[in-house]
Structure formats: C-alpha cells, structure tokens
Amino acid sequence: DTGVSQNPRHKITKRGQNVTFRCDPISEHNRLYWYRQTLGQGPEFLTYFQNEAQLEKSRLLSDRFSAERPKGSFSTLEIQRTEQGDSAMYLCASSKLALAKNIQYFGAGTRLSVL
Amino acid sequence: QQPVQSPQAVILREGEDAVINCSSSKALYSVHWYRQKHGEAPVFLMILLKGGEQKGHEKISASFNEKKQQSSLYLTASQLSYSGTYFCGTEIGKAGGTSYGKLTFGQGTILTVHP
C-alpha cells in the first residue's frame, strides 16, 4: 500500500498559464477527492469522484477548474488561465467506503505558486 | 458551513494534557480528526460516527455528542511528536442515513509541545 501520490510537488507558473496536476489514489479506493488549502486554513473541498463519475463540485469552484478521472484510477485537476488567487496547496485524498466509514487518506499535495 | 474549532492555539509542556473542540451547526454523519505538520499531508487520526461513540488511539481519544453536534479530541500525557495543527473534518448526513462524502474542515488548532 503505497499511499496517495501527487505530482508535481511544486509548480510555479505565470498568471494566465494553464496547469495540470495528477493524483494517484490508494489502489482499490473508489473515491477520490480534491481539496485546496491556503496558509493557516483547513482544506477546502473542490470536487470528488466515485469511480469515474464526478459526483459533486463545489459551487465556489470557478469554470477555469476542471477535473477528470477517466478510468476510475488516477485523476487530473486542470486550472486554466491561472490567477494569483489560485496560489495554494492542492490536496488529493482517496477513500474506500467500508462499514459506513469514509476514511480519507491525503497525499502530500501540489503547491502552486502563480506569479 | 465550516465547523468552529477551539482553542485556536495551545502550548503545552511534555506530559501535559489538552482538549480540542469542534462544533457544527449542521446535523453530522461523522467527525474526522487529522493532524498536519508543516509542509506535510494531513494524517488521519480517527473517525467518529453519530451515536456518541468514543474512540482511542494510543494516548489520543475523542468523543462525539450527536445531540450537540460537537466533538472533542483529548490528548493526554503529550509528547513532542504531538506538535502540529489539528483539524476536525465534518461529514454531513443525508436523509436515509448516508452522507454527502465530502469533508468540511475547521480552521485548525495549532498545538505546540515543549520539552
């Protein structure tokens, strides 16, 4: 069990550029979540998948953000036309619902800096 | 709506005890507790389902009062390794007894343990 893996760990980009992050969940975990965390705050929900279906997307999420999980395994999060306000840590978590317990395990995150 | 954690920060000496509280205005399905060290992923500590259960993990335990929608995390005989930011994540219940799946996190409690 290798844990949740995220790549890249750090991304520096210029305002207006597009960026894509990847998340590989724990194998056999059918749920995958994306959260965003800014300094001094708790993680904030962005979206989640059950297998390949995107079940919920935060109303706070701009149309510039899109996520996919094409085969129900890894997921990508793309941000188009990045803005300075997008600078944050992007966290991925995965879970396997068992006995009504939805325990989410987090990856180390991708830190995005928009210049 | 974000759960409210208190206190915002705690400073302890090794061996002292601490309690961290988490309060929600929503009907909760479960409460999750995480610890995050600087620059690292949040690490899962425990989950409490509605029903008022109390769980333990070494010298860390927690309770969940379903009627008050409040949870408390108890750290006894603190160790240096307990230092970090503690987050509660709440999962909202649906009619029918299931949950929405996503976690809504509090703003965190910074715990510092000194020798």
Side-chain angles (χ1 to χ4, degrees):
Chain A
D1 193 349
T2 56
V4 178
S5 176
Q6 292 189 246
N7 288 289
R9 291 294 312 277
H10 303 275
K11 180 70 177 179
I12 300 174
T13 191
K14 292 183 179 179
R15 189 177 48 162
Q17 298 293 306
N18 298 345
V19 294
T20 300
F21 311 140
R22 176 178 170 128
C23 172
D24 288 88
I26 295 171
S27 60
E28 298 183 355
H29 278 196
N30 59 344
R31 287 188 171 183
L32 187 148
Y33 303 79
W34 286 99
Y35 293 86
R36 175 172 61 192
Q37 186 176 29
T38 53
L39 197 62
Q41 299 296 317
E44 177 188 27
F45 171 78
L46 295 178
T47 188
Y48 93 93
F49 295 83
Q50 181 156 306
N51 300 314
E52 62 273 12
Q54 188 173 19
L55 294 190
E56 188 173 351
K57 188 174 176 181
S58 169
R59 285 172 289 179
L60 302 174
L61 206 58
S62 157
D63 289 343
R64 297 183 295 106
F65 287 71
S66 62
E68 292 183 342
R69 194 182 183 199
K71 296 183 180 179
S73 57
F74 73 92
S75 174
T76 57
L77 177 69
E78 181 182 17
I79 309 174
Q80 297 182 326
R81 305 180 303 282
T82 52
E83 302 173 356
Q84 289 186 327
D86 296 332
S87 295
M89 176 73 85
Y90 290 84
L91 293 166
C92 175
S94 69
S95 72
K96 181 178 180 181
L97 189 64
L99 299 174
K101 294 182 180 180
N102 179 31
I103 298 173
Q104 298 181 28
Y105 295 93
F106 282 83
T110 294
R111 182 169 295 284
L112 174 66
S113 297
V114 182
L115 304 178
Chain B
Q1 191 169 358
Q2 186 180 34
V4 177
Q5 285 185 234
S6 63
Q8 290 187 324
V10 184
I11 299 175
L12 301 174
R13 292 210 175 272
E14 265 188 304
E16 293 181 337
D17 302 340
V19 180
I20 300 171
N21 300 302
C22 175
S23 180
S24 175
S25 60
K26 302 269 189 179
L28 298 178
Y29 177 83
S30 66
V31 180
H32 304 226
W33 285 97
Y34 288 83
R35 177 172 58 216
Q36 186 177 31
K37 294 184 183 279
H38 184 69
E40 299 181 9
V43 174
F44 171 76
L45 295 176
M46 62 188 73
I47 180 174
L48 300 104
L49 301 179
K50 62 181 181 179
E53 69 177 284
Q54 183 159 357
K55 296 197 68 175
H57 178 267
E58 297 179 344
K59 296 178 183 176
I60 300 175
S61 61
S63 62
F64 177 25
N65 186 321
E66 183 184 349
K67 289 183 180 177
K68 293 185 177 181
Q69 306 305 330
Q70 292 176 348
S71 179
S72 294
L73 185 71
Y74 307 94
L75 301 105
T76 58
S78 59
Q79 306 168 13
L80 294 176
S81 62
Y82 287 3
S83 292
T85 302
Y86 289 77
F87 293 101
C88 67
T90 55
E91 199 174 3
I92 305 300
K94 283 182 183 177
T98 58
S99 77
Y100 283 95
K102 67 181 181 184
L103 295 180
T104 304
F105 286 90
Q107 79 279 19
T109 296
I110 301 171
L111 180 75
T112 306
V113 181
H114 290 298

